[in-house]
Amino acid sequence: MEIKRLDDYRWEIPATGAMRVPGLVFADAELIKEIHRDGSLKQVANVAQLPGIIGHSLAMPDIHQGYGFPIGGVAAFDFEEGIISPGGVGYDINCGVRLMTSALSVSDLKPYLTVLIERLYKDIPSGLGSTGPLKLSKAEIKKVLTNGAGWAVKNGFGEPGDLNHSEEGGAMEGADPEVLSERALERGLKQLGTLGSGNHFLELDRVDEIFDEKAAQAFGLFKDQVTVLIHSGSRGLGYQVCDDFLKTMMKAVNQEELALPDRQLACAFIQSKPGRKYFAAMAAAANYAWANRQVIMHWTRESFEKTLGLGPRDLRMNLVYDVAHNIAKKERHEVDGREQWVCVHRKGATRAFPPTHPDIPADYRHVGQPVLIPGDMGRSSFVLAGAAGAMEESFGSSCHGAGRVLSRTAARKKAKGRSIYGELEQQGIVVRFSGRDTLAEEMPEAYKDVTRVVEVVHQAGLARKVARLKPLGLIKG
């Protein structure tokens, strides 16, 4: 496949064959070598063949091969004439991350760190198929699917102010619980407030370095501060929605006689009946994920209070922001000099709206939307702020993490005979986990160096660096 270097951080896949638009990959010279090792660039070219695609088929520097669409891929489609695809959202609908600050410095936490991690591991259900203490009726879960994090706050899991610091206010419009299958609803009944497994985690960090004092101050960040990152999604409910609608979309593909380069790109026109039903189901699953992270955050606050014997006023555990990683959204963007409605698919990508954008909280509007980029268990994570370049080139999007370089199977093979737990412990990082295989799959070497990935989006002008976080301890499924 031909790929042209445009500058130090941009590479173009020219539109050839059935491609309707070119591909645009954000990467440096080292990262592009790693990206070439899997099939993700081919997937970028495949996405460029879908009806109604606008601008470029985009790839962030954390790109790697996924189901149909690459993970780390962004694609916008005309909202009237374009398609929507479950593979462009992913199985874990609205997998995402939220960041909390605290009033604690590292020295305040150190004496309690191990005990706190133990308590968090006890209080936050984690692991494959885990269920929690919340048992919802089907009538109640439909309220969750409609109201998202607002349901959680209304039922005592958090503060009203939390909603102001969440993408979409923690609930996406257009959700319709009635289009979900009985199986999807069943899978969601006992999993609200659970972390899950795979790459999901709850991590305590310290603010290691500040790059942008003005933005850090706006976000409430200071040097050596203790913060909390929570990474989880819509659990079995979201997985089932994706699985159900992939079958629906294949029927739509056959009926419309769409020529797809890959069956995993199954899709339907957004304005068709199956397209509208999927959008409504996806929005409902996204709302479940926002409620899930809200409940986990509430229990995290309680774990801190019980362990340190401090109240909410002393701990001041505030939500900085919550961002979605796997979602398709109706947004207004400028295309060829005029504004139009588009359906932006972000699969393993994060919204990164710049300063003054009306859809970000008023108290962040002078610096830009917080962009949260988790790294891996052993190195670092980053907080960035959305920049003007994202609106000009990536439909207001940035990368979502470091991106894998090893498959889960390859990571387990590389970890054989080693103690990943012991290696993290030697670095002073306290870890509690449910599955030894999961810990091996998520070993730091399984991921790209997040510092390099973040530097690309910073230098390309998609988002600018605000702060670096270093892990102190975490729980994993």
Side-chain angles (χ1 to χ4, degrees), residues 151-229:
W151 175 91
V153 170
K154 185 178 178 182
N155 285 275
F157 301 100
E159 305 295 330
D162 296 340
L163 304 179
N164 295 331
H165 281 182
S166 183
E167 186 173 343
E168 298 295 327
M172 193 167 163
E173 290 184 1
D176 183 0
E178 301 303 327
V179 302
L180 269 64
S181 67
E182 285 296 310
R183 175 65 178 147
L185 292 175
E186 288 284 346
R187 294 188 71 174
L189 292 178
K190 298 177 182 176
Q191 290 194 326
L192 194 66
T194 65
L195 201 58
S197 62
N199 62 353
H200 294 165
F201 63 80
L202 186 151
E203 182 175 286
L204 309 188
D205 293 283
R206 70 177 171 89
V207 178
D208 176 60
E209 186 167 358
I210 300 284
F211 303 101
D212 183 328
E213 286 287 352
K214 182 181 174 183
Q217 191 173 12
F219 298 162
L221 298 169
F222 59 84
K223 186 84 186 297
D224 281 332
Q225 179 184 29
V226 174
T227 60
V228 182
L229 274 172

